[in-house]
Amino acid sequence: NMTDYLKDIIDSQPLINEGMFTSSMGRKLRIVSKMILLNEERKKNRDIFLVSKGGFDGHALSKSGLADLLPDVNSGLAAFYKEMKDQNMIDDVTTVVLSEFGRTVTPNSGLGSDHAWGGNAFVFGGQINGSQILGHYPESFDNSDITNIGRGRLIPQKSWESMWYGVSNWFGITDDKELEYVIPNNGNMGCELYPDSVMYTTGNNTITGCNDRSQPMKLSMLLSEPRYLTGVEEKRICKAAIAIVAQGANVTSRCTIVDQKIFVSFDYNRRRRLLHPAEDIRRFLEDPSVQFDLDVEASLLYQVPQINATNATDEELAEVQSQVDAITSYIEDPVAVRDDLSAAISNCTRDDRDDVRRSRRRLQEGSGENNCIDICENVTEAYADISQAPSSVPSTSGVPSRQPSSLPSSVPSLNPTKSFEPSMSPSESLAPSYGPTYGPSAIPSTQPSFTPSTPAPTRVPSTQPSLSTGPTAPDPTSIPSSAPSAMPTQNCTEVVDDCQAGGFFSVYTCACMCPEPRCPNADGQCLSTNCAADYHSTLFDDHPAPWFKLGSSCTQYKEFPDGSTAFYGSKSDCCSNEFPGSSSCISQQSEIRQLKYNGKFTLVGLTCPVGGSQIVAASADLGRSALSVICASVPGLSCADGDSIVVTKFCNKDLEVEVQYSAPAASVPGRELSSGSGSRTRRVSTASLDVVDFTLYLRALDNDSLLQAEGLLSTYLSGTSLDNILAGIVADVTASSALVEMQALTLAYYTFFNSFVSGLGAYYPAWGSVETCLNDGNQEAYMNKNPSSWLYATLDGCCERYYNWDFAGCKTAHFEATLVSGSVPAVPDPVDALFYPDWGRTNTCINDGEAPPYMKKQSSNWMHETLYDCCKAYFGWQGEFDSCVASAGGDAPTSSPIEESWYVDWTRFKCVKSCHEDDGPSCGGLHKNWNVLHSSKGDCCGAHLSWLERSDC
C-alpha cells in the first residue's frame, strides 16, 4: 500500500548530513528533508509540511523551560537548513517558525509567562530577503508604548495575512480569487500586506490596486513543428520575458501565457488562416510553400516606482514619472523586445534540447536559465498591446479605468468601485483534486462511446463464441454459449508436467508449445533446437493465442515481442510465474496497442428488420462481410485474431455488435456490382437508405505497425479501390446473409470519421506529459504496485477521479493525444447547463455553455444549478438581483435573498445588522460587498469578536 511504499523510498533516500538530525525536532525534520528530496519520485511540485513541538505553554518557570526546549529546536533547524543548502534545494524551501499567539513580557507569580496577543514569526529560506524586521517593533516594553495594554500584552500591528500573503505568492498563488480562498481575510487588510516582492529576493508580485501595472503583450514565432506550447515551454517564454525586462527596463515582473493560436500561411497566395486544433496537418507538412506561425498572448505584470502624491513636490512627481517612462520605453519598444526575446528562446541546437530533456528541474535552475523552445525558429513579432495598457498618470475622467494608474491620485474617489467582476484572464491552473466526485454527471452523453464498456458486459450478446483459453473473470457467465467452441480441448492420454525452456503443455494439441529457438524433443519437452523450418511461424495457426509477459502484466497475442523467452496457456499461469506474489497482474488489462478506425456506411436498398434480434443479426452480417472484405482487399494489411469490427448504429438504433476476425474460408460466390467514382455521390431515394456507424479495431504490439495499417486503410478506402471494396462488401453480405432485408442491398457508400491509436491497458493519470488519462501501459511503477488506487478500467472513471475539475477537457485531451487522422469527437461538458455570471455582456446569469474557461475549471466556485442561486451569489440586492432573476422571463422578487445580515463594524469592534442606520439601533448601514455576513448577532460575535468581553455580544 501507499504507506509501505513511502516507508521504503524514505528509508532508501540518503542524506548528506545524516548525523546532524539528533534532536527530537531534528528527527522530524529528517523525514521532511527526505520527502522534499523525493518530490520527483512522488510526482509533487508543491508540498506543505507541519512539524510541531509542545511544552512552550510555560505558565511557570518559563526561563528554565525555554533553556531546555530552544536548543532542541535550534539543533533541528540548523541540520535542516544545512541539508537543504548542501542538496542545492534551499532556494526551493521556505521555513516559517511561529507560535499561535504571543505571551506576556512580565512574569507571573510562578516565574512563568501568560497568554498574550501579538507575537513574532521567523521566516528563512534561500530566496528570503532576510536581515529585516517587517512590521512595527515596540518602542518600549513598559506601559508607555501605545501597543502595550498591560504586562507586555502587545496589540498586533500587522495581521497573520500580511506574512502569509507573500508566502502564498512564492508558492504560486497570485490570482486574487485564489488568494481570497487561501487567505479569506486578506481583503480586510488593504495594502498592509507583504507580497513576495517584499519578502523574497526573487519576488515580483504586488498587491492588486496598491501599486502594480498590467501590460498585455503579444508575440508571434515561426514554427518548425505545428503544435501548441507545452506547459514547460510556456514557463520558459515567461522566464525569458521576465529576464529581458529586468535587463532592458531594470524592473521586476511576472508573466502568464493567456492564449495560443496556430496560423498556417501559404506563400503562393499570401493567405494566412487559423489552424483548427483537430485539423489534419499531414497535407501541409510536405508543401514547401506552407509555413506555420504561433501567436501567443501574454500578461506581464510589473512594478513601478511609488510615491505619496499627497505630500510630494512637483519635482518629486516628475522624477518618478521619468522613471516610469524609462521602464515603459523598453517594454513598449517592439524591435528591442522582439530581438531580445528571439535571441533567448529560438535557434535551439540539438545539444540544447537533449540537455534540457536530461536535466533535473532543480539542477537546471541552479546552473542557469535555459529557455530554449525547440519548435521556435525565430520570433517575428513581440510588442506591448499599448491600446490596452494603463495610463502612467492618474486619470481625471469620471469613468473609472479598467487598469489602475501607476501613480495614485491625490484626491480620493467619491464613488469607490464595488464590482465583483474578476479578471477576464484565466488564472494559472491549480493542482487537480485527489478525491473523486461523489455523483454521476448531471448531463448524459449524446454520443456513443468509441471504447467498449469495461468490465460491464455489453447490452447485446456477441454472435460468436468466445475463444479465450482462460476462465471469465471474476465470474463465469450464467448463460451457456449458443455455439460450440471453435477449438475444443482434447482428451490427452499423455501429459507433460514440465515442458521446460519457457514452454507450456496445450490441451488443444496434447503437446508442448515451445518458444524460439526450442521445439519438442523425443520426450516432448522444449529442449531440442533441431526444429522444422516453419515450426514457430505456424505454431499458433490453429491454436488460441498464448499469454506472455508484456510491461507490468500478461498479454495474450499470437505475435510476441523480441526477446520473449516464455509463454503460457493461461493468464493465471503467466502471472504466477512472471509476477510471483503480485495481486495486480490478473486484474490489469492487456498492454497491446490498438487502432480504432471509425467510419460509416450508407446502405441503399435496405429495409430495416422489424425485431431487435433481427437487427442484431443484420448488423453482424454486415460487420462480418465488411471485416473480411477489407482485410482481404487492402494489400499489406495483416488481420489476425483479436481484430474486430463493432457496429454501433444500425437502422437508427444505438447498439454494440462485435464481430471477431477469422481466417477466410472458401470464397462465397456473389454478384459483382459496378460502382464508378461518380456513383458514390449520386442522388438516391432516402426511403431506402440507412446509415451504419462502425469501428474497425486492429491490434499490434507497437505503434509503428498500427500507424502503417492506418496509412494503408486511408490509401485504399478511397478512389477506385474503395469502389471495389464497397462492391465486394455488398456482394458478400447479399450472398451470405439469411435475412431477406440484407439480400436486397444494391449499393453502399463510405464516410471516414477519425482514427486513434491507443493502448488496451488500464487508464492512468499521465502527469508530466499530457493533462489526461492514457492506457498505453507506460504508467509509473508505484501505480502498478497499488492498481486499485491509481488505475481505472475506463477513460471516464480515470477522468472523474483525477481531472474532475475539467472532465470534458480530460476526455478531449485523450482523444487529441491518441488521434492519428480526422477530427476529435465533441465531448459534452457536464457544466454547460450550469448558470454563470455573464459580466460585461448581459450583466446577468446565463447558461449558454459559453462560460469562460476559468469558471468551467472551477465550476463549484463559480457556477450554479439554478438561476436564483447564481443571481444571489453575484448580484447585490440594490437593483441587480431582481433584474437578474427576472432576466429569464419570470417575476422580479419582492424580498432580499440574503438571510445572513449581521457583520462586523471594525471601526467600533461591534456586530451590526445590514440595514439603514435610521431603521433601528442595531442597524449599521447596508453591508459592503467585502463584509462577511452571519445569520445572527451571536454567530457574528462568536466568529470574529470572541476575544472581547462585551455585554452586547
Side-chain angles (χ1 to χ4, degrees):
N1 57 33
M2 184 56 65
T3 302
D4 293 334
Y5 168 68
L6 282 175
K7 181 180 183 302
D8 291 340
I9 63 174
I10 288 172
D11 289 343
S12 62
Q13 174 62 46
L15 294 177
I16 297 175
N17 303 289
E18 181 78 53
M20 290 184 64
F21 294 89
T22 56
S23 67
S24 63
M25 177 65 76
R27 287 189 290 272
K28 297 174 183 178
L29 291 173
R30 171 180 174 272
I31 302 298
V32 172
S33 300
K34 292 192 172 192
M35 292 288 280
I36 292 174
L37 295 172
L38 290 165
N39 67 317
E40 293 183 5
E41 172 72 16
R42 298 183 296 113
K43 303 295 182 185
K44 303 292 184 184
N45 62 5
R46 291 179 178 89
D47 276 313
I48 298 175
F49 299 99
L50 175 64
V51 176
S52 63
K53 182 174 180 62
F56 288 87
D57 194 15
H59 289 281
L61 301 176
S62 293
K63 187 175 181 179
S64 59
L66 292 175
D68 294 330
L69 294 168
L70 290 180
D72 184 280
V73 175
N74 187 68
S75 172
L77 289 175
F80 177 72
Y81 181 84
K82 189 172 191 316
E83 184 68 25
M84 292 298 99
K85 189 173 182 179
D86 292 348
Q87 294 281 1
N88 196 28
M89 290 290 288
I90 192 63
D91 284 351
D92 295 331
V93 177
T94 292
T95 305
V96 181
V97 184
L98 74 168
S99 181
E100 68 269 35
F101 50 78
R103 305 192 72 86
T104 58
V105 175
T106 59
N108 57 26
S109 59
L111 298 180
S113 179
D114 298 323
H115 296 183
W117 198 350
N120 308 313
F122 298 90
V123 184
F124 66 88
Q127 295 184 350
I128 290 294
N129 185 17
S131 302
Q132 60 174 329
I133 296 175
L134 300 181
H136 175 74
Y137 196 77
E139 298 289 341
S140 170
F141 287 100
D142 60 29
N143 291 337
S144 65
D145 189 273
I146 191 173
T147 64
N148 192 339
I149 60 174
R151 288 193 58 204
R153 287 189 174 99
L154 304 178
I155 299 175
Q157 298 300 290
K158 297 290 182 180
S159 67
W160 278 79
E161 286 79 4
S162 64
M163 173 188 65
W164 290 117
Y165 192 96
V167 175
S168 299
N169 288 167
W170 175 83
F171 209 62
I173 304 169
T174 57
D175 179 77
D176 287 346
K177 193 69 180 178
E178 296 172 7
L179 284 166
E180 181 182 348
Y181 178 80
V182 175
I183 314 174
N185 288 326
N186 89 82
N188 296 333
M189 306 305 160
C191 295
E192 298 297 309
L193 301 166
Y194 298 120
D196 63 357
S197 58
V198 174
M199 294 181 62
Y200 292 82
T201 58
T202 57
N204 50 37
N205 291 290
T206 57
I207 305 165
T208 301
C210 293
N211 185 47
D212 54 8
R213 184 175 183 187
S214 180
Q215 178 77 71
M217 295 191 70
K218 296 183 179 180
L219 63 130
S220 297
M221 61 181 72
L222 182 64
L223 300 180
S224 60
E225 176 185 347
R227 64 169 174 81
Y228 293 102
L229 299 173
T230 66
V232 172
E233 288 170 339
E234 288 184 7
K235 292 178 181 177
R236 288 180 187 165
I237 286 183
C238 275
K239 284 185 177 181
I242 291 170
I244 65 172
V245 168
Q247 183 176 0
N250 192 28
V251 65
T252 56
S253 61
R254 66 183 175 97
C255 165
T256 304
I257 301 298
V258 177
D259 195 17
Q260 301 182 53
K261 292 184 177 69
I262 297 178
F263 289 86
V264 56
S265 303
F266 306 86
D267 286 349
Y268 57 87
N269 61 6
R270 298 186 180 278
R271 185 165 66 91
R272 185 175 187 262
R273 68 172 178 82
L274 185 68
L275 184 69
H276 191 274
E279 190 170 354
D280 185 0
I281 62 170
R282 289 182 296 181
R283 58 197 176 100
F284 298 135
L285 296 178
E286 298 177 359
D287 188 345
S289 67
V290 173
Q291 73 176 34
F292 297 92
D293 301 285
L294 179 68
D295 283 9
V296 177
E297 182 180 348
S299 175
L300 191 72
L301 190 71
Y302 58 94
Q303 289 184 299
V304 292
Q306 305 182 55
I307 191 171
N308 187 337
T310 303
N311 301 321
T313 65
D314 292 342
E315 290 77 10
E316 290 172 333
L317 287 173
E319 173 62 23
V320 170
Q321 186 60 57
S322 68
Q323 295 176 30
V324 172
D325 292 341
I327 293 170
T328 57
S329 64
Y330 173 81
I331 293 176
E332 295 175 1
D333 183 343
V335 176
V337 173
R338 179 200 64 196
D339 293 346
D340 291 348
L341 194 59
S342 185
I345 68 173
S346 64
N347 296 318
C348 309
T349 66
R350 175 58 57 184
D351 289 339
D352 289 334
R353 290 193 288 267
D354 290 343
D355 285 344
V356 170
R357 292 189 180 112
R358 288 194 298 264
S359 294
R360 294 169 67 91
R361 177 182 62 85
R362 63 175 183 268
L363 294 180
Q364 179 188 13
E365 293 178 353
S367 60
E369 297 295 346
N370 187 338
N371 296 316
C372 187
I373 307 297
D374 293 358
I375 61 173
C376 177
E377 294 189 358
N378 65 282
V379 177
T380 56
E381 283 186 308
Y383 60 95
D385 193 353
I386 303 173
S387 63
Q388 298 183 41
S391 168
S392 59
V393 295
S395 170
T396 57
S397 168
V399 180
S401 168
R402 295 285 296 172
Q403 305 255 11
S405 70
S406 60
L407 296 178
S409 170
S410 59
V411 180
S413 170
L414 298 176
N415 295 296
T417 302
K418 299 180 180 179
S419 172
F420 275 112
E421 184 172 351
S423 165
M424 293 308 291
S425 299
S427 63
E428 294 180 1
S429 173
L430 296 172
S433 168
Y434 290 100
T437 56
Y438 292 100
S441 168
I443 306 172
S445 171
T446 58
Q447 296 290 331
S449 170
F450 287 117
T451 305
S453 299
T454 308
T458 61
R459 293 170 294 173
V460 181
S462 170
T463 58
Q464 296 292 318
S466 169
L467 301 183
S468 171
T469 59
T472 302
D475 297 309
T477 178
S478 59
I479 303 175
S481 170
S482 58
S485 169
M487 297 180 185
T489 59
Q490 305 296 319
N491 185 17
C492 302
T493 56
E494 294 185 7
V495 176
V496 179
D497 293 330
D498 185 1
C499 288
Q500 301 282 337
F504 72 94
F505 185 80
S506 169
V507 295
Y508 297 97
T509 63
C510 294
C512 286
M513 315 293 281
C514 305
E516 291 186 275
R518 306 286 182 175
C519 54
N521 62 5
D523 296 327
Q525 294 180 313
C526 298
L527 297 177
S528 174
T529 56
N530 185 22
C531 307
D534 63 346
Y535 174 79
H536 295 102
S537 62
T538 61
L539 185 59
F540 294 102
D541 282 356
D542 299 313
H543 189 284
W547 292 86
F548 53 88
K549 177 183 179 180
L550 183 65
S552 58
S553 184
C554 287
T555 292
Q556 185 183 33
Y557 199 61
K558 286 200 173 182
E559 296 179 10
F560 13 94
D562 295 338
S564 180
T565 58
F567 42 59
Y568 305 89
S570 67
K571 187 173 186 178
S572 59
D573 287 345
C574 178
C575 288
S576 62
N577 284 275
E578 299 290 350
F579 300 94
S582 170
S583 60
S584 63
C585 177
I586 286 289
S587 60
Q588 282 187 231
Q589 294 173 297
S590 166
E591 294 181 7
I592 294 178
R593 311 293 291 168
Q594 177 176 260
L595 168 67
K596 294 188 289 186
Y597 203 86
N598 300 295
K600 72 176 179 180
F601 294 127
T602 302
L603 306 179
V604 181
L606 173 69
T607 301
C608 286
V610 177
S613 60
Q614 288 185 316
I615 289 177
V616 171
S619 62
D621 289 343
L622 176 64
R624 189 178 301 108
S625 296
L627 183 60
S628 63
V629 171
I630 291 173
C631 289
S633 303
V634 176
L637 187 67
S638 178
C639 297
D641 290 351
D643 297 338
S644 64
I645 195 168
V646 176
V647 178
T648 55
K649 183 183 285 292
F650 192 92
C651 287
N652 204 32
K653 291 188 179 297
D654 294 333
L655 36 79
E656 194 173 320
V657 176
E658 181 179 19
V659 177
Q660 294 281 342
Y661 173 79
S662 59
S667 60
V668 179
R671 50 197 176 100
E672 291 290 334
L673 298 181
S674 61
S675 179
S677 61
S679 66
R680 295 195 307 278
T681 58
R682 68 176 184 172
R683 288 184 176 273
V684 293
S685 168
T686 57
S688 59
L689 289 179
D690 183 60
V691 175
V692 179
D693 292 346
F694 71 92
T695 301
L696 175 64
Y697 291 94
L698 301 179
R699 298 181 180 186
L701 294 180
D702 60 277
N703 270 12
D704 291 343
S705 299
L706 295 178
L707 292 175
Q708 181 181 6
E710 198 277 341
L712 291 171
L713 290 171
S714 298
T715 300
Y716 285 93
L717 291 180
S718 62
T720 304
S721 58
L722 172 61
D723 298 337
N724 295 332
I725 289 174
L726 292 174
I729 292 173
V730 172
D732 189 271
V733 74
T734 54
S736 61
S737 177
L739 298 171
V740 294
E741 294 88 349
M742 300 300 291
Q743 295 171 7
L745 287 183
T746 57
L747 288 172
Y749 304 90
Y750 165 76
T751 302
F752 170 70
F753 287 156
N754 46 35
S755 60
F756 302 86
V757 170
S758 61
L760 287 178
Y763 289 88
Y764 68 94
W767 296 313
S769 55
V770 289
E771 291 299 316
T772 186
C773 293
L774 297 178
N775 62 337
D776 55 8
N778 292 324
Q779 62 269 17
E780 298 288 347
Y782 68 85
M783 296 182 181
N784 294 325
K785 291 181 179 180
N786 194 7
S788 61
S789 297
W790 294 102
L791 306 181
Y792 283 78
T794 66
L795 176 61
D796 283 7
C798 182
C799 285
E800 286 177 0
R801 171 65 173 85
Y802 296 107
Y803 298 95
N804 62 354
W805 47 277
D806 189 15
F807 176 80
C810 173
K811 294 192 66 174
T812 300
H814 173 83
F815 293 137
E816 290 173 345
T818 58
L819 180 71
V820 177
S821 59
S823 58
V824 172
V827 179
D829 196 329
V831 304
D832 280 349
L834 301 180
F835 288 88
Y836 68 94
D838 184 34
W839 292 303
R841 291 194 302 171
T842 62
N843 289 317
T844 184
C845 286
I846 58 176
N847 63 337
D848 59 356
E850 299 296 327
Y854 70 90
M855 290 188 184
K856 288 187 174 184
K857 287 190 174 183
Q858 300 183 51
S859 58
S860 60
N861 292 339
W862 290 101
M863 307 180 76
H864 298 268
E865 293 186 3
T866 67
L867 174 65
Y868 183 92
D869 288 340
C870 179
C871 293
K872 175 183 173 181
Y874 297 110
F875 293 94
W877 171 242
Q878 293 82 18
E880 296 174 330
F881 172 77
D882 53 348
S883 59
C884 177
V885 173
S887 64
D891 295 332
T894 58
S895 60
S896 171
I898 302 173
E899 296 87 5
E900 302 85 4
S901 58
W902 291 84
Y903 67 94
V904 178
D905 179 353
W906 291 105
T907 63
R908 295 183 287 170
F909 286 87
K910 181 179 180 181
C911 284
V912 296
K913 195 171 184 179
S914 176
C915 48
H916 291 288
E917 294 181 359
D918 297 338
D919 292 343
S922 298
C923 295
L926 296 177
H927 70 277
K928 303 299 188 296
N929 291 332
W930 57 79
N931 289 131
V932 179
L933 300 179
H934 298 272
S935 58
S936 69
K937 187 175 185 178
D939 289 345
C940 175
C941 291
H944 300 288
L945 303 175
S946 59
W947 43 273
L948 291 179
E949 297 180 1
R950 298 174 60 126
S951 60
D952 56 357
C953 270

